[in-house]
Amino acid sequence: MSIYLDNAATVPLVEPAINALTAQMRKVGNASSLHSDGRAIRKDVEDARLALSQVIDCEASEIIFTGSGTEADNLAVKGFFWKAVSADPGKNIILTSPFEHHAIKDPIEWLVEHDGAKVVEIPVGEGGVVNLEFVQDFIKSNHDSIALITVMHSNNEIGTLQPIAEIVNFAGEIPVHTDAVQSFGKVDFSFAKLGVTAATISGHKIGAPLGIGALILKRGIDLTPVLHGGGQEREIRSGTLNAPAIVAFAAAAQFAAKYQGENKAQIEKLRDNASARILESIPGSAINGNSAAKLPGIINVAFEGTESEALLLLLDSVGISASAGSACSAGVSRPSHVLLALGRTEDQAMSALRFSIGSQTTLSDIDRLIEVLPGVVEKARSAYQVKKGRA
Amino acid sequence: MKIIAAMSGGVDSAVAAARMVDAGHEVTGVHLALSSNPQKYRSGARGCCTIEDSHDARRAADVIGIPFYIWDMADEFHDGVVENFMAEYAVGRTPNPCLRCNEKIKFAAVMERAKALGFDGVATGHYAQMRETELGRVMYRAVDPGKDQSYVLAVLNTDQLAGAHFPLGDIVKDDVRKEAKARGLYVANKPDSHDICFVPSGDNAGWLRDRLGSDVGPIVDEDGKKLGEHKGAYTYTIGQRKGLGITVPAAGGEPRYVLKIEPKTNTVVVGNHDSLAVSGIVGERAIWCGPVPAESTEYRGFAQIRAHGAPLACNYSHDGGNITVALDEPIYGLATGQGLVIYDGDRVVGSATVCATE
């Protein structure tokens, strides 16, 4: 049995989601059809939408289901940008953080390359939080040129929570989007209280199936679509509604909400236990992103004089699943842009591992990690020396 | 043993990895990313550097049931192989980058990294045989003469060979494909790769011209008489006959061949076929794949000068650094920079880089 410490990548499906999914998969009907079979599916979908909206603290009609978190992020970035510039070509600035997930970062880069967008990145302190002063000043002097502000709710690699409500306060009329994929279901998240214009969530991070996400978009806000077609979701997103995944998403969200407090306390305890023991047992290790407000389950550690890909190989060989930063399409590891944004050097950014703890993680999992980690790091350090010796 | 199987995404390395697992080893698949931008060196699915190839390799590893990683060796490959390729051409030599890659990357950078991580050796899909004999662990040609790759492996010294595993040495290519199919490896029918993996178009001359320039210079005969102009000396090969564009006919109407490339003066020297004849070869930077033959002693053996060239009967000797070969029959057209590999029957004795011919 492997020890799964990669819960920020995905988590096991929860029982209520499996039950909802399998029951729905036995039903026939397209939610857009007007006949009784179609109406029955539509009712299931809309019941699920309502249930999910209660967890998110938004109106049911504010949920736009998508095929993934990535799709919702693309819809937000491109949709807000295209809408803004079509009304006023001078409104072409996207204000964002330098450590967004690639599902935000890459569509922005695409708009810069192809559609005349200008990107402005908010500096990030060593602790892993965006600089609010910069946000305030920048908005003050560029208010009329900003198409969109998009800053993630919590960082997926280092777990630091971002001051989204404060950003919303500075933003005024400027739309604010937040990628809340890592936060939703793990920490308190209320769409209404946060006041953002839009937020992205994803099913499989909270025990729902893969292939379902949502853009939560304030009522009355229109976006230029990315997918054109039947217009099923408020004419903003087209595609037949994925009823089984939607009902399972709602079931998983309710389940996550019910146990959120309990899980959070347990996961935080394991995280703090693991962090302390890693730092104690491995000289030359340091936590990345040490701000106070963090997700409960993410530990990002730099192991001086190693390469994360060697660490991963060695951990995998003893049955421990963890993660490094981001990987490019061919799978070649590159320094994490998140860690570079914190001011780490390329070598430091290549030497980090992310352990992400989930509700199924136990203290004996952490014990096992602490047992093998010193040997793994030592071996990775000798491999690093070999490589440096060749260079 | 704990073994790294280098997996290119092709059928050979996939079957090699599977055979290592069958032999009871603990195998981890590794795909080498040799270009930091995978589409830069090569497009299409013909080589070993595309995203599709790394996916093919990953899929094969999953089918075999072994862990799989991509190791970024782009810097090492560029410095050790690509730069060397250009530098050799720039001094008028004709290098073989596959030899260089085996020597500097697969059985050096990869082997060292593997060992540091606790592995015992590296397996590849090369066609060659390692045998334990009274001479020690030595390399022999593969049983499939059409696929034998011992030539490109002859740059490995005994230390490197000690950790090298070639599980395909005893099988012919057709059977490798059948075996791949039987194992459920869908790369079974993937075409063989040819050409130089970092030259996307297969157009070596164009690739070199882009990087080393294409200054026009003289084409002269053996007496130094100018016969025409060339479009960049680097793009000619010793023995080349076509595409010289010489309008002055030779006495007797014989065709002319490239005899020599002189990059310093940017001159291409041409002459008749007989002038290409080589019966003596000197190779520098000798590497021994087994016991080192006694110095200054004449041995009988075979020399091979191309990856799929014929073995040429010869006498050879060495002085510690250089290998000197006297061929029984002359050959025509041998460029400096090519690999000279010495065989004793089917056993690989060693290799050197051709530095002089007569």
Side-chain angles (χ1 to χ4, degrees), chain A residues 151-175:
Chain A
V151 175
M152 63 206 321
H153 194 269
S154 58
N155 185 277
N156 56 309
E157 289 185 28
I158 57 176
T160 52
L161 292 166
Q162 303 303 310
I164 304 300
E166 288 85 340
I167 293 173
V168 171
N169 280 338
F170 299 138
E173 297 302 304
I174 304 166

Side-chain angles (χ1 to χ4, degrees), chain B residues 131-149:
Chain B
R131 286 192 204 155
E132 298 291 345
T133 69
E134 68 266 24
L135 297 173
R137 188 174 153 82
V138 288
M139 183 164 51
Y140 278 78
R141 287 187 191 274
V143 297
D144 184 340
K147 289 300 297 182
D148 171 50
Q149 289 174 305

Side-chain angles (χ1 to χ4, degrees), chain B residues 31-53:
Chain B
H31 179 78
L32 303 178
L34 300 179
S35 159
S36 46
N37 172 1
Q39 302 299 2
K40 192 168 76 183
Y41 284 144
R42 207 180 208 337
S43 54
R46 302 186 303 143
C48 53
C49 291
T50 65
I51 289 173
E52 291 87 342
D53 288 314

